[in-house]
Amino acid sequence: MQFDPFVLIAPAGASVAFPNYDSLRHQVYSFSAAGPFELRLYGRDESRSVSFRNVGVIAIGCNIHDQMAAFIYVTDTPFAMKTGANGIADIAGVPPGRATLRVWHPYLRAPDSQIERPIVVPAGAMTQALEVGLRPPPHRRYSY
Ligand SMILES: [Cu+2]
């Protein structure tokens, strides 16, 4: 009874599948402006897909299980990557020049949960370190 992964990066236009591996039925939805949707109840070993055309953050929930939460970060850049558990993202192939480094996390302590930093990408490798703070996740009530 949880979404996996908690955060997914999807290219704009991508179709995202929501397979249900639980023995319970789920009703997956989002109210996010970038891609609101609501799936009807569906059960074990069934799957539904949603296409996300607009760039933005899609907060996902389940109408039956309030504690279920996940986020889809829809982007139009190929240079997007989720960090590993160590907080590191190794992004390859970025063309040299001016760019904007953006770090996003649903509970990041920053406006729109995002930090932006202008950078100049050299021809070779570079390292950028950012220290971030997180908010506690919003309280969720459990209902089964
Ligand atoms: Cu559910």
Side-chain angles (χ1 to χ4, degrees):
M1 283 200 294
Q2 68 178 34
F3 292 107
D4 182 21
F6 176 59
V7 170
L8 176 75
I9 298 175
S15 177
V16 176
F18 297 91
N20 181 359
Y21 300 121
D22 290 331
S23 52
L24 300 136
R25 296 193 297 169
H26 295 293
Q27 189 171 21
V28 183
Y29 73 94
S30 175
F31 294 134
S32 298
F37 71 93
E38 180 160 9
L39 303 176
R40 289 170 181 262
L41 273 172
Y42 63 102
R44 182 176 198 152
D45 294 331
E46 291 187 294
S47 186
R48 301 289 185 268
S49 294
V50 179
S51 290
F52 297 101
R53 291 175 184 79
N54 303 319
V55 166
V57 174
I58 313 290
I60 309 282
C62 172
N63 275 328
I64 315 299
H65 309 105
D66 283 345
Q67 84 280 9
M68 290 176 64
F71 296 85
I72 302 175
Y73 189 97
V74 182
T75 181
D76 56 5
T77 177
F79 306 113
M81 180 174 276
K82 193 162 83 168
T83 63
N86 58 6
I88 295 174
D90 192 354
I91 303 172
V94 181
R98 292 177 186 279
T100 303
L101 176 67
R102 292 189 182 90
V103 176
W104 176 89
H105 182 281
Y107 309 137
L108 194 65
R109 204 181 285 278
D112 293 330
S113 303
Q114 181 165 273
I115 295 171
E116 285 192 5
R117 178 187 284 185
I119 57 171
V120 178
V121 180
M126 72 181 297
T127 298
Q128 284 284 312
L130 277 167
E131 199 164 309
V132 300
L134 295 178
R135 299 185 298 264
H139 175 74
R140 295 185 172 277
R141 84 187 147 85
Y142 286 73
S143 64
Y144 297 102

